[in-house]
Amino acid sequence: GKIVAPHFKLENEKIAKRHMYATALSAFFKENRDYFKDVETFFFRENPSGPGALGGYLKIKPEALLRSLVRIVPEALHNELDILGWGWVHSLLGEEEGVLQLAYGEVVSDVEELEKLIDERVKQRDPRKPVDHLLRLVNTIKGRDIIGFLSSRNVIPKYGFPVDVVELQILHKGEDAKRLQLERDLRIALSEYAPSSQVVAGGKLWTSRYIKRLPNKEWDRYRYAICNNCQSYVREREDLARGFGTCPICKAAYGRNQGIFIVPAFGFMASKDKPGKPGDARPERTYSTRVFYPGENENAEGSVILELRGISLVATPIARGTLGIINDAGRVRFKVCSTCGYAVMGSEPTPSKHKNPWGGDCTGRLKAYSLGHEFQTDVVKLEFRDWIDFRPGFWFSLLYGLLEGVSGALDVERRDIDGCLYTPLGSPGTRAVILFDDVPGGAGHVQRIAEEGALYSVLEETLHRLSGCTCGSDDNDASCYGCLRNYRNQFCHEELKRGMVVGFLGRVLS
């Protein structure tokens, strides 16, 4: 059949920044070759360290580097990234938020903690606490290739352009652990690497046990609440939270569906226990995550209105829309030590004592937290005005039907788009359907919907796909993996009914 030409969005700020950093580092290494080799060569040099030397190099504002950046970065991003004013350097080397500075602090703190433990064990001279594997671990960390390390820490691009990559760090002394480098985008890691989840790698079964901490750094913590009635999502920084009373949309009490989530931006660490052997069953995970749209700070770019039979469909593209992801382990949450990051699922027994990732005793207390993350991407908000529907599962069925329609009508890979529901203020009987690009920074996929022709073709394709499925009885009161169901929407499988969507679209498109 006919294949539509691929559609790419070059004006992706996060990807552009990584290319800028890579270009700057390339120019720096060409003039300072003695800094280019491994982690030890770049980060553990003195007078100055690699980041310090790079900062000195960029302070003179090399003309050749500026010409390269102006040439490779899309012109639409020149002012936003402040290329001519060199303001972009702060996001690379800034003390608080610079990505290279954060990577520097992380690797140095890891080595310092290990060396401190080595010194303690040498003084104790306890044969039950050997230091050989700790020395090998320090050598492994320092010997990592500098390019591989920088790409794993989001400083420079790598294949697939992940945005927020975190690592499941394995500190086991065995030879199997040395060859492994387990990384995931933070969105995926919230489920796959969450405490008590199991991962198969190198023929072994590893169990995540710690949410990694860095000295002199604190996890971002947010107090959040999700309405049981209309699924609206609100959150505030924990230190600034004033508490949540009732839902601003439907006025219902939030009840117990609220708490505090940690953003595990520093990654996770596996248990030091001996890894298991994979069996026939799939590895254990905690729970899949849910995506929510807070509906604030909308940077709308104008709306398109499609008049249908009896209703108006309003499509509003939103640049850099913010979405939140929560993993609350099925509402039991995680018990987390704020001192060392040790964590277990809330449904597991609370241990009377535990050890830190380096094997020492920890006296910190465990407190209940969820895991969460917020990201920005391209969003389109679809509002079906003058249509109110209280049938259970209708809006979720419409959401996942439209995602299949977008995939078919616009030739977009289904895994590259996703969606959620949002309740507009003052409209508890209706829902806005939020479609977003499920790729780093957005790729412009869903924004192509915001024109009348594309929007109508998406509705027709949705009706065509759902009508053509053969699951369920004659009234189509069912769903299957061929029409609406997939791995990510397991939480609402029992509510998904394609018949409701077929009937609705059949009426408004007639």
Side-chain angles (χ1 to χ4, degrees):
K2 182 180 178 182
I3 298 176
V4 178
H7 183 89
F8 296 97
K9 181 181 178 182
L10 296 179
E11 292 79 18
N12 187 314
E13 180 183 336
K14 293 185 177 181
I15 292 177
K17 278 185 176 180
R18 282 162 176 72
H19 280 283
M20 292 171 64
Y21 301 156
T23 304
L25 283 162
S26 175
F28 168 76
F29 284 137
K30 285 179 181 177
E31 296 191 15
N32 301 271
R33 294 179 182 273
D34 51 335
Y35 281 92
F36 181 75
K37 184 182 177 184
D38 50 28
V39 167
E40 182 175 20
T41 303
F42 187 70
F43 287 117
F44 290 89
R45 285 179 62 109
E46 296 183 357
N47 303 321
S49 65
L54 177 62
Y57 170 75
L58 295 177
K59 192 172 289 186
I60 64 174
K61 301 179 179 179
E63 186 64 30
L65 175 58
L66 179 61
R67 288 197 301 269
S68 295
L69 296 178
V70 169
R71 186 176 68 251
I72 68 172
V73 176
E75 190 172 347
L77 292 176
H78 283 190
N79 290 334
E80 188 171 348
L81 299 177
D82 193 14
I83 292 179
L84 297 179
W86 295 82
W88 60 270
V89 174
H90 180 74
S91 61
L92 176 65
L93 294 170
E95 287 294 330
E96 294 295 326
E97 300 177 355
V99 288
L100 184 60
Q101 206 66 35
L102 289 174
Y104 176 47
E106 177 186 347
V107 70
V108 169
S109 69
D110 281 355
V111 171
E112 287 179 349
E113 287 289 328
L114 286 168
E115 290 178 341
K116 181 180 176 181
L117 185 59
I118 290 170
D119 291 341
E120 290 176 358
R121 292 191 175 183
V122 169
K123 291 177 182 178
Q124 293 172 356
R125 297 186 178 182
D126 188 342
R128 294 171 299 176
K129 298 180 178 179
V131 299
D132 290 354
H133 72 282
L134 296 176
L135 291 170
R136 289 197 297 268
L137 183 56
V138 170
N139 291 335
T140 299
I141 294 174
K142 287 186 174 182
R144 287 193 63 183
D145 172 70
I146 187 60
I147 295 298
F149 178 82
L150 293 178
S151 66
S152 71
R153 293 306 184 274
N154 300 334
V155 179
I156 60 178
K158 62 183 292 187
Y159 179 74
F161 300 114
V163 174
D164 298 291
V165 173
V166 296
E167 180 181 17
L168 175 61
Q169 192 172 354
I170 297 178
L171 301 179
H172 194 266
K173 58 187 178 182
E175 291 296 321
D176 295 321
K178 292 182 180 180
R179 299 190 296 267
L180 298 177
Q181 184 174 332
L182 306 180
E183 296 172 344
R184 288 286 188 275
D185 185 277
L186 184 51
R187 287 199 54 198
I188 303 171
L190 282 183
S191 176
E192 292 193 3
Y193 291 168
S196 298
S197 293
Q198 295 178 316
V199 177
V200 176
K204 305 289 185 181
L205 192 65
W206 308 93
T207 302
S208 176
R209 184 53 64 212
Y210 298 88
I211 303 173
K212 189 171 183 178
R213 290 188 55 85
L214 295 181
N216 304 320
K217 297 287 182 183
E218 189 57 68
W219 293 315
D220 275 340
R221 290 185 175 97
Y222 292 88
R223 185 170 292 278
Y224 74 96
I226 301 167
C227 178
N228 289 320
N229 185 41
C230 70
Q231 297 295 297
S232 67
Y233 160 73
V234 291
R235 57 95 180 92
E236 294 178 332
R237 279 196 173 275
E238 183 189 14
D239 297 334
L240 304 175
R242 297 181 296 275
F244 306 116
T246 58
C247 171
I249 307 297
C250 67
K251 308 305 179 184
Y254 281 117
R256 299 180 60 187
N257 199 11
Q258 56 181 305
I260 300 171
F261 72 77
I262 289 172
V263 182
F266 309 130
F268 301 86
M269 304 175 84
S271 169
K272 292 176 66 69
D273 296 338
K274 184 178 179 180
K277 293 183 178 180
D280 296 331
R282 295 185 63 173
E284 291 184 12
R285 289 185 187 172
T286 56
Y287 283 79
S288 58
T289 53
R290 290 277 306 273
V291 180
F292 299 94
Y293 179 66
E296 58 186 32
N297 302 321
E298 292 187 347
N299 186 15
E301 300 179 337
S303 300
V304 173
I305 301 176
L306 182 63
E307 297 294 344
L308 301 171
R309 185 183 179 186
I311 68 168
S312 298
L313 174 55
V314 182
T316 306
I318 300 167
R320 295 188 297 278
T322 299
L323 295 134
I325 310 174
I326 303 292
N327 181 2
D328 61 2
R331 297 196 179 184
V332 301
R333 302 191 178 92
F334 301 91
K335 302 171 187 173
V336 183
C337 173
S338 296
T339 303
C340 70
Y342 177 90
V344 295
M345 282 182 61
S347 57
E348 297 178 272
T350 303
S352 58
K353 58 183 180 179
H354 64 272
K355 294 187 179 293
N356 64 33
W358 317 108
D361 293 326
C362 178
T363 58
R365 295 184 177 181
L366 305 187
K367 184 179 177 181
Y369 291 102
S370 299
L371 301 182
H373 170 50
E374 290 192 344
F375 66 101
Q376 290 188 333
T377 186
D378 290 334
V379 169
V380 163
K381 179 168 65 175
L382 301 179
E383 298 175 88
F384 294 83
R385 294 182 180 171
D386 304 317
W387 181 264
I388 296 176
D389 202 310
F390 290 100
R391 287 177 292 174
F394 170 78
W395 292 105
F396 277 124
S397 300
L398 180 60
L399 163 66
Y400 291 108
L402 288 172
L403 286 167
E404 297 296 333
V406 172
S407 175
L410 303 183
D411 260 4
V412 176
E413 169 62 50
R414 175 62 181 86
R415 291 173 296 180
D416 287 349
I417 54 175
D418 205 351
C420 62
L421 297 179
Y422 170 64
T423 305
L425 189 63
S427 305
T430 187
R431 297 285 191 273
V433 174
I434 304 296
L435 307 182
F436 61 87
D437 287 350
D438 201 15
V439 293
H445 292 318
V446 297
Q447 293 201 340
R448 294 161 59 193
I449 305 169
E451 59 178 63
E452 288 190 29
L455 195 53
Y456 198 86
S457 66
V458 167
L459 298 178
E460 286 189 317
E461 177 67 15
T462 302
L463 179 59
H464 173 71
R465 286 198 170 201
L466 298 190
S467 301
C469 189
T470 58
C471 68
S473 55
D474 294 338
D475 58 2
N476 304 324
D477 192 29
S479 62
C480 68
Y481 277 87
C483 55
L484 293 178
R485 298 187 181 190
N486 58 56
Y487 169 75
R488 290 189 176 181
N489 61 21
Q490 291 182 76
F491 68 92
C492 63
H493 275 186
E494 298 305 316
E495 297 182 18
L496 298 179
K497 315 286 186 191
R498 65 186 179 89
M500 293 187 288
V501 183
V502 170
F504 168 68
L505 293 181
R507 283 194 300 271
V508 301
L509 292 178
S510 63

